[in-house]
Amino acid sequence: MTTIERTVTDLVEARTDLSLVADVVRDAAQTRRLDTNRLKELLGPLAARNGLRKGDGAALLDETPKVGVNGFRSMSHRMASRWISLDVVRFVRDR
């Protein structure tokens, strides 16, 4: 069985958008026990190619939630939620 830590590492290795990786990390942390020490160890070799100090898996792990929380994807989700809410209000109002 593949662990969530290995899956996250595979996503980063495949150059998946870090905002999507942040979503996976967030969801995994909320629904199950996430071994962050193991994840930092696995991410270490990928840190340099992501603009961080070579071997610094902790920095790479710290970077992913920032992208998810402050990045474009989160902003677009908030905007989409507002638009959906406005559509529901208009639908009910116009009935």
Side-chain angles (χ1 to χ4, degrees):
M1 182 172 105
T2 303
T3 66
I4 189 64
E5 296 81 13
R6 180 75 249 166
T7 300
V8 168
T9 303
D10 290 345
L11 290 170
V12 173
E13 191 168 19
R15 299 185 188 275
T16 303
D17 185 306
L18 287 181
S19 66
L20 299 175
V21 176
D23 289 343
V24 172
V25 170
R26 183 199 64 233
D27 292 348
Q30 290 175 351
T31 60
R32 63 176 73 181
R33 186 177 173 113
L34 184 65
D35 186 347
T36 54
N37 289 330
R38 177 68 178 140
L39 186 53
K40 290 172 190 177
E41 179 184 312
L42 291 169
L43 291 174
L46 304 173
R49 79 172 196 191
N50 284 281
L52 302 166
R53 190 170 43 99
K54 184 178 179 179
D56 197 350
L60 183 52
L61 181 59
D62 288 344
E63 198 63 29
T64 54
K66 292 176 189 170
V67 173
V69 171
N70 299 319
F72 174 79
R73 190 171 190 281
S74 292
M75 182 180 68
S76 65
H77 279 271
R78 288 192 304 273
M79 290 172 66
S81 295
R82 288 184 189 131
W83 291 333
I84 291 168
S85 297
L86 286 174
D87 287 342
V88 169
V89 169
R90 287 184 190 121
F91 174 78
V92 170
R93 181 195 64 203
D94 295 340
R95 286 185 79 193

